Short mmCIF file of all heavy atoms in Angstrom, two decimals:
data_model
loop_
_atom_site.label_atom_id
_atom_site.label_comp_id
_atom_site.label_asym_id
_atom_site.label_seq_id
_atom_site.Cartn_x
_atom_site.Cartn_y
_atom_site.Cartn_z
N ASP A 1 11.14 -0.75 16.58
CA ASP A 1 10.95 -1.49 17.82
C ASP A 1 10.54 -2.95 17.46
O ASP A 1 9.48 -3.16 16.99
CB ASP A 1 9.94 -0.88 18.73
CG ASP A 1 9.70 -1.60 20.00
OD1 ASP A 1 10.23 -2.73 20.16
OD2 ASP A 1 8.91 -1.06 20.84
N ASN A 2 11.41 -3.94 17.72
CA ASN A 2 11.10 -5.33 17.33
C ASN A 2 9.87 -5.90 18.05
O ASN A 2 9.36 -6.92 17.59
CB ASN A 2 12.32 -6.25 17.67
CG ASN A 2 13.48 -5.88 16.78
OD1 ASN A 2 13.35 -5.40 15.66
ND2 ASN A 2 14.73 -6.09 17.31
N GLN A 3 9.43 -5.24 19.11
CA GLN A 3 8.32 -5.80 19.78
C GLN A 3 7.00 -5.52 19.03
O GLN A 3 5.97 -6.16 19.27
CB GLN A 3 8.21 -5.14 21.24
CG GLN A 3 9.40 -5.31 22.11
CD GLN A 3 9.79 -6.79 22.21
OE1 GLN A 3 8.99 -7.67 22.62
NE2 GLN A 3 11.10 -7.13 21.90
N LYS A 4 7.03 -4.44 18.25
CA LYS A 4 5.76 -4.10 17.54
C LYS A 4 5.63 -4.91 16.20
O LYS A 4 6.59 -5.35 15.60
CB LYS A 4 5.85 -2.55 17.22
CG LYS A 4 5.84 -1.71 18.44
CD LYS A 4 5.45 -0.30 18.08
CE LYS A 4 5.29 0.54 19.34
NZ LYS A 4 6.13 1.70 19.42
N LYS A 5 4.36 -5.03 15.75
CA LYS A 5 4.06 -5.79 14.59
C LYS A 5 4.26 -4.84 13.35
O LYS A 5 4.22 -3.61 13.38
CB LYS A 5 2.63 -6.14 14.59
CG LYS A 5 2.43 -7.46 15.39
CD LYS A 5 0.96 -7.85 15.51
CE LYS A 5 0.33 -7.95 14.12
NZ LYS A 5 -1.11 -8.36 14.20
N GLU A 6 4.58 -5.56 12.20
CA GLU A 6 4.70 -4.83 10.93
C GLU A 6 3.29 -4.22 10.68
O GLU A 6 2.29 -4.78 11.03
CB GLU A 6 4.98 -5.80 9.81
CG GLU A 6 6.24 -6.61 9.93
CD GLU A 6 6.34 -7.58 8.74
OE1 GLU A 6 5.42 -7.90 8.03
OE2 GLU A 6 7.54 -7.97 8.50
N GLN A 7 3.38 -3.12 9.97
CA GLN A 7 2.10 -2.46 9.67
C GLN A 7 1.90 -2.44 8.10
O GLN A 7 2.69 -1.92 7.36
CB GLN A 7 2.22 -0.97 10.19
CG GLN A 7 1.07 -0.06 9.79
CD GLN A 7 -0.12 -0.35 10.67
OE1 GLN A 7 -0.11 -0.40 11.92
NE2 GLN A 7 -1.30 -0.56 10.03
N ILE A 8 0.84 -3.06 7.65
CA ILE A 8 0.49 -2.94 6.17
C ILE A 8 0.13 -1.57 5.85
O ILE A 8 -0.73 -0.98 6.57
CB ILE A 8 -0.63 -3.91 5.81
CG1 ILE A 8 -0.20 -5.42 6.04
CG2 ILE A 8 -1.06 -3.71 4.41
CD1 ILE A 8 -1.29 -6.41 5.76
N ILE A 9 0.72 -1.01 4.78
CA ILE A 9 0.31 0.39 4.47
C ILE A 9 -0.42 0.46 3.14
O ILE A 9 -1.27 1.33 2.97
CB ILE A 9 1.59 1.32 4.41
CG1 ILE A 9 2.68 0.78 3.54
CG2 ILE A 9 2.11 1.56 5.85
CD1 ILE A 9 3.86 1.70 3.39
N ILE A 10 -0.16 -0.49 2.20
CA ILE A 10 -0.94 -0.52 1.01
C ILE A 10 -0.83 -1.99 0.44
O ILE A 10 0.15 -2.61 0.65
CB ILE A 10 -0.52 0.52 -0.05
CG1 ILE A 10 -1.50 0.65 -1.17
CG2 ILE A 10 0.93 0.20 -0.55
CD1 ILE A 10 -1.21 1.91 -2.07
N MET A 11 -1.91 -2.35 -0.29
CA MET A 11 -1.96 -3.72 -0.72
C MET A 11 -2.68 -3.82 -2.04
O MET A 11 -3.63 -3.07 -2.28
CB MET A 11 -2.72 -4.52 0.33
CG MET A 11 -2.76 -5.96 0.22
SD MET A 11 -3.44 -6.52 1.76
CE MET A 11 -4.01 -8.12 1.24
N TYR A 12 -2.20 -4.68 -2.92
CA TYR A 12 -2.94 -5.02 -4.20
C TYR A 12 -3.34 -6.44 -4.13
O TYR A 12 -2.40 -7.37 -3.94
CB TYR A 12 -2.03 -4.73 -5.40
CG TYR A 12 -2.65 -5.06 -6.70
CD1 TYR A 12 -3.53 -4.26 -7.38
CD2 TYR A 12 -2.44 -6.40 -7.24
CE1 TYR A 12 -4.07 -4.58 -8.58
CE2 TYR A 12 -3.05 -6.77 -8.49
CZ TYR A 12 -3.84 -5.88 -9.12
OH TYR A 12 -4.48 -6.18 -10.28
N ALA A 13 -4.59 -6.77 -4.17
CA ALA A 13 -5.07 -8.18 -4.11
C ALA A 13 -6.29 -8.28 -4.87
O ALA A 13 -7.24 -7.49 -4.82
CB ALA A 13 -5.25 -8.56 -2.62
N VAL A 14 -6.39 -9.47 -5.68
CA VAL A 14 -7.54 -9.70 -6.48
C VAL A 14 -8.02 -8.47 -7.25
O VAL A 14 -9.16 -8.03 -7.17
CB VAL A 14 -8.69 -10.29 -5.66
CG1 VAL A 14 -9.70 -11.01 -6.52
CG2 VAL A 14 -8.19 -11.30 -4.64
N ASP A 15 -7.06 -7.83 -7.99
CA ASP A 15 -7.35 -6.66 -8.88
C ASP A 15 -7.88 -5.49 -8.17
O ASP A 15 -8.46 -4.60 -8.79
CB ASP A 15 -8.40 -7.11 -9.99
CG ASP A 15 -7.89 -8.27 -10.79
OD1 ASP A 15 -6.63 -8.48 -10.75
OD2 ASP A 15 -8.68 -8.98 -11.47
N ARG A 16 -7.60 -5.38 -6.85
CA ARG A 16 -8.04 -4.13 -6.12
C ARG A 16 -6.94 -3.63 -5.27
O ARG A 16 -6.08 -4.39 -4.84
CB ARG A 16 -9.23 -4.46 -5.21
CG ARG A 16 -10.61 -4.41 -5.94
CD ARG A 16 -11.74 -4.26 -4.96
NE ARG A 16 -11.63 -3.12 -4.10
CZ ARG A 16 -12.35 -2.93 -3.02
NH1 ARG A 16 -13.15 -3.91 -2.54
NH2 ARG A 16 -12.23 -1.83 -2.29
N VAL A 17 -6.88 -2.29 -5.11
CA VAL A 17 -5.89 -1.62 -4.24
C VAL A 17 -6.58 -1.34 -2.93
O VAL A 17 -7.71 -0.82 -2.88
CB VAL A 17 -5.37 -0.32 -4.88
CG1 VAL A 17 -4.56 0.49 -3.88
CG2 VAL A 17 -4.61 -0.56 -6.14
N TYR A 18 -5.92 -1.67 -1.88
CA TYR A 18 -6.44 -1.43 -0.46
C TYR A 18 -5.38 -0.47 0.23
O TYR A 18 -4.25 -0.92 0.33
CB TYR A 18 -6.57 -2.75 0.32
CG TYR A 18 -7.53 -3.66 -0.33
CD1 TYR A 18 -7.13 -4.61 -1.28
CD2 TYR A 18 -8.87 -3.67 0.09
CE1 TYR A 18 -8.01 -5.45 -1.83
CE2 TYR A 18 -9.80 -4.53 -0.53
CZ TYR A 18 -9.36 -5.46 -1.47
OH TYR A 18 -10.22 -6.33 -2.07
N ASN A 19 -5.80 0.74 0.52
CA ASN A 19 -4.82 1.67 1.02
C ASN A 19 -5.30 2.50 2.23
O ASN A 19 -4.85 3.56 2.46
CB ASN A 19 -4.37 2.66 -0.09
CG ASN A 19 -5.56 3.44 -0.67
OD1 ASN A 19 -6.70 3.30 -0.15
ND2 ASN A 19 -5.32 4.21 -1.68
N HIS A 20 -6.23 1.86 3.00
CA HIS A 20 -6.77 2.64 4.16
C HIS A 20 -6.27 2.00 5.46
O HIS A 20 -6.92 2.26 6.44
CB HIS A 20 -8.27 2.48 4.04
CG HIS A 20 -8.84 1.10 3.92
ND1 HIS A 20 -9.01 0.53 2.70
CD2 HIS A 20 -9.09 0.13 4.90
CE1 HIS A 20 -9.41 -0.74 2.86
NE2 HIS A 20 -9.43 -0.98 4.16
N TYR A 21 -5.26 1.19 5.42
CA TYR A 21 -4.79 0.52 6.67
C TYR A 21 -4.01 1.41 7.59
O TYR A 21 -3.96 1.22 8.78
CB TYR A 21 -3.86 -0.70 6.29
CG TYR A 21 -4.61 -1.75 5.59
CD1 TYR A 21 -4.45 -1.88 4.22
CD2 TYR A 21 -5.50 -2.57 6.22
CE1 TYR A 21 -5.06 -2.90 3.51
CE2 TYR A 21 -6.16 -3.60 5.53
CZ TYR A 21 -5.94 -3.71 4.15
OH TYR A 21 -6.66 -4.71 3.49
N TYR A 22 -3.34 2.38 7.00
CA TYR A 22 -2.26 3.13 7.80
C TYR A 22 -2.60 4.59 7.71
O TYR A 22 -2.31 5.28 6.75
CB TYR A 22 -0.91 2.80 7.24
CG TYR A 22 0.19 3.41 8.06
CD1 TYR A 22 0.43 3.01 9.39
CD2 TYR A 22 1.04 4.40 7.51
CE1 TYR A 22 1.44 3.56 10.12
CE2 TYR A 22 2.11 4.94 8.22
CZ TYR A 22 2.26 4.43 9.57
OH TYR A 22 3.32 4.97 10.34
N ALA A 23 -3.21 5.13 8.73
CA ALA A 23 -3.67 6.58 8.74
C ALA A 23 -2.54 7.56 8.46
O ALA A 23 -2.73 8.54 7.86
CB ALA A 23 -4.35 6.87 10.13
N GLY A 24 -1.32 7.22 8.97
CA GLY A 24 -0.21 8.17 8.82
C GLY A 24 0.07 8.53 7.36
O GLY A 24 0.66 9.58 7.08
N LEU A 25 -0.25 7.66 6.39
CA LEU A 25 0.06 7.84 4.96
C LEU A 25 -1.20 8.06 4.11
O LEU A 25 -1.10 8.20 2.94
CB LEU A 25 0.86 6.76 4.42
CG LEU A 25 2.36 6.71 4.82
CD1 LEU A 25 3.01 5.43 4.42
CD2 LEU A 25 3.10 7.88 4.19
N THR A 26 -2.40 8.06 4.67
CA THR A 26 -3.60 8.16 3.93
C THR A 26 -3.58 9.37 3.05
O THR A 26 -3.29 10.48 3.53
CB THR A 26 -4.86 8.13 4.85
OG1 THR A 26 -4.85 6.92 5.63
CG2 THR A 26 -6.15 8.25 4.07
N GLY A 27 -3.84 9.14 1.76
CA GLY A 27 -3.90 10.32 0.80
C GLY A 27 -2.59 10.71 0.28
O GLY A 27 -2.48 11.56 -0.52
N ARG A 28 -1.51 10.12 0.87
CA ARG A 28 -0.10 10.54 0.38
C ARG A 28 0.64 9.43 -0.25
O ARG A 28 1.83 9.55 -0.51
CB ARG A 28 0.65 11.12 1.56
CG ARG A 28 0.14 12.35 2.23
CD ARG A 28 1.09 12.96 3.21
NE ARG A 28 1.36 12.05 4.31
CZ ARG A 28 2.57 11.63 4.59
NH1 ARG A 28 3.64 11.91 3.83
NH2 ARG A 28 2.78 10.82 5.69
N MET A 29 -0.06 8.31 -0.57
CA MET A 29 0.71 7.18 -1.17
C MET A 29 -0.17 6.53 -2.22
O MET A 29 -1.40 6.55 -2.16
CB MET A 29 1.06 6.16 -0.11
CG MET A 29 -0.18 5.55 0.53
SD MET A 29 0.25 4.12 1.55
CE MET A 29 -1.38 4.01 2.29
N GLN A 30 0.56 5.88 -3.20
CA GLN A 30 -0.17 5.21 -4.25
C GLN A 30 0.83 4.30 -4.95
O GLN A 30 2.06 4.53 -4.91
CB GLN A 30 -0.68 6.23 -5.27
CG GLN A 30 0.43 6.99 -6.00
CD GLN A 30 -0.01 8.35 -6.46
OE1 GLN A 30 -0.94 8.93 -5.97
NE2 GLN A 30 0.69 8.81 -7.47
N PHE A 31 0.36 3.27 -5.60
CA PHE A 31 1.19 2.47 -6.46
C PHE A 31 1.62 3.39 -7.59
O PHE A 31 0.81 4.15 -8.19
CB PHE A 31 0.46 1.22 -6.99
CG PHE A 31 0.38 0.07 -5.97
CD1 PHE A 31 -0.76 -0.19 -5.33
CD2 PHE A 31 1.58 -0.63 -5.63
CE1 PHE A 31 -0.82 -1.26 -4.40
CE2 PHE A 31 1.50 -1.61 -4.73
CZ PHE A 31 0.27 -1.96 -4.07
N THR A 32 2.93 3.34 -7.95
CA THR A 32 3.44 4.11 -9.11
C THR A 32 2.72 3.80 -10.38
O THR A 32 2.36 4.70 -11.14
CB THR A 32 4.97 3.85 -9.22
OG1 THR A 32 5.64 4.02 -7.95
CG2 THR A 32 5.62 4.71 -10.26
N ASN A 33 2.51 2.52 -10.61
CA ASN A 33 1.76 2.07 -11.81
C ASN A 33 0.31 1.72 -11.45
O ASN A 33 0.03 1.05 -10.45
CB ASN A 33 2.46 0.82 -12.26
CG ASN A 33 2.08 0.49 -13.77
OD1 ASN A 33 0.92 0.44 -14.04
ND2 ASN A 33 3.10 0.27 -14.57
N LEU A 34 -0.58 2.28 -12.27
CA LEU A 34 -2.06 2.10 -11.95
C LEU A 34 -2.39 0.60 -11.98
O LEU A 34 -3.36 0.16 -11.37
CB LEU A 34 -2.93 2.87 -12.96
CG LEU A 34 -2.91 4.38 -12.74
CD1 LEU A 34 -3.66 5.09 -13.88
CD2 LEU A 34 -3.47 4.73 -11.36
N ASP A 35 -1.57 -0.18 -12.82
CA ASP A 35 -1.87 -1.63 -12.92
C ASP A 35 -0.65 -2.38 -12.45
O ASP A 35 0.23 -2.64 -13.24
CB ASP A 35 -2.24 -1.97 -14.36
CG ASP A 35 -2.62 -3.48 -14.48
OD1 ASP A 35 -2.69 -4.15 -13.45
OD2 ASP A 35 -2.85 -3.93 -15.59
N PRO A 36 -0.51 -2.70 -11.21
CA PRO A 36 0.65 -3.41 -10.67
C PRO A 36 0.92 -4.77 -11.30
O PRO A 36 2.03 -5.28 -11.26
CB PRO A 36 0.40 -3.53 -9.15
CG PRO A 36 -0.62 -2.48 -8.86
CD PRO A 36 -1.50 -2.38 -10.10
N ARG A 37 -0.13 -5.33 -12.00
CA ARG A 37 0.04 -6.58 -12.68
C ARG A 37 1.10 -6.47 -13.84
O ARG A 37 1.62 -7.51 -14.26
CB ARG A 37 -1.27 -7.03 -13.31
CG ARG A 37 -2.25 -7.62 -12.29
CD ARG A 37 -3.57 -7.90 -12.95
NE ARG A 37 -4.11 -6.70 -13.66
CZ ARG A 37 -5.29 -6.67 -14.22
NH1 ARG A 37 -6.14 -7.71 -14.15
NH2 ARG A 37 -5.72 -5.59 -14.78
N SER A 38 1.46 -5.28 -14.18
CA SER A 38 2.44 -5.12 -15.19
C SER A 38 3.84 -5.47 -14.81
O SER A 38 4.70 -5.42 -15.64
CB SER A 38 2.40 -3.60 -15.67
OG SER A 38 2.80 -2.85 -14.53
N GLY A 39 3.99 -5.77 -13.52
CA GLY A 39 5.35 -6.10 -13.04
C GLY A 39 5.93 -4.98 -12.26
O GLY A 39 7.11 -4.99 -11.92
N ASP A 40 5.14 -3.94 -11.97
CA ASP A 40 5.67 -2.81 -11.24
C ASP A 40 4.80 -2.55 -10.00
O ASP A 40 3.68 -2.04 -10.17
CB ASP A 40 5.69 -1.54 -12.15
CG ASP A 40 6.34 -0.35 -11.46
OD1 ASP A 40 6.82 -0.46 -10.29
OD2 ASP A 40 6.45 0.70 -12.10
N GLY A 41 5.32 -2.93 -8.87
CA GLY A 41 4.63 -2.69 -7.62
C GLY A 41 5.20 -1.59 -6.77
O GLY A 41 5.07 -1.53 -5.59
N SER A 42 5.92 -0.71 -7.46
CA SER A 42 6.63 0.39 -6.76
C SER A 42 5.68 1.34 -6.10
O SER A 42 4.56 1.41 -6.47
CB SER A 42 7.52 1.21 -7.74
OG SER A 42 8.43 0.42 -8.44
N LEU A 43 6.14 2.00 -5.04
CA LEU A 43 5.26 2.83 -4.24
C LEU A 43 5.72 4.26 -4.21
O LEU A 43 6.87 4.53 -3.99
CB LEU A 43 5.28 2.29 -2.73
CG LEU A 43 4.57 3.13 -1.67
CD1 LEU A 43 3.05 2.93 -1.94
CD2 LEU A 43 4.87 2.63 -0.26
N ASP A 44 4.81 5.13 -4.48
CA ASP A 44 5.02 6.61 -4.41
C ASP A 44 4.55 7.09 -3.04
O ASP A 44 3.41 6.82 -2.65
CB ASP A 44 4.26 7.39 -5.45
CG ASP A 44 4.81 7.21 -6.85
OD1 ASP A 44 5.97 6.68 -6.98
OD2 ASP A 44 4.09 7.54 -7.83
N ILE A 45 5.38 7.89 -2.31
CA ILE A 45 4.92 8.53 -1.14
C ILE A 45 5.08 10.07 -1.42
O ILE A 45 6.26 10.50 -1.77
CB ILE A 45 5.75 8.15 0.12
CG1 ILE A 45 5.62 6.62 0.32
CG2 ILE A 45 5.18 8.85 1.40
CD1 ILE A 45 6.44 6.14 1.49
N LEU A 46 4.01 10.80 -1.19
CA LEU A 46 4.08 12.22 -1.56
C LEU A 46 4.17 13.06 -0.24
O LEU A 46 3.87 12.52 0.79
CB LEU A 46 2.78 12.62 -2.28
CG LEU A 46 2.29 11.61 -3.40
CD1 LEU A 46 0.86 11.99 -3.83
CD2 LEU A 46 3.25 11.68 -4.52
#
């Protein structure tokens, strides 16, 4: 629905992962790579 805002679901910023924004995926998602600075920001959804 174009009327609704985008929802941040996970974020990496200043060397920290923030993943508590979106209750629907809490505990079921993670960055594929523990260190996204490596050039891999892929997302796993379980």
Side-chain angles (χ1 to χ4, degrees):
D1 178 354
N2 292 332
Q3 304 305 309
K4 295 199 173 119
K5 279 176 54 180
E6 304 180 338
Q7 175 76 51
I8 294 176
I9 53 175
I10 192 169
M11 186 172 164
Y12 176 87
V14 197
D15 302 339
R16 276 196 60 195
V17 172
Y18 301 87
N19 59 5
H20 53 270
Y21 296 105
Y22 187 65
L25 284 169
T26 300
R28 296 190 299 117
M29 64 170 169
Q30 65 205 25
F31 281 108
T32 306
N33 195 309
L34 288 174
D35 185 5
R37 287 175 303 187
S38 63
D40 187 358
S42 303
L43 177 68
D44 288 345
I45 303 176
L46 316 169

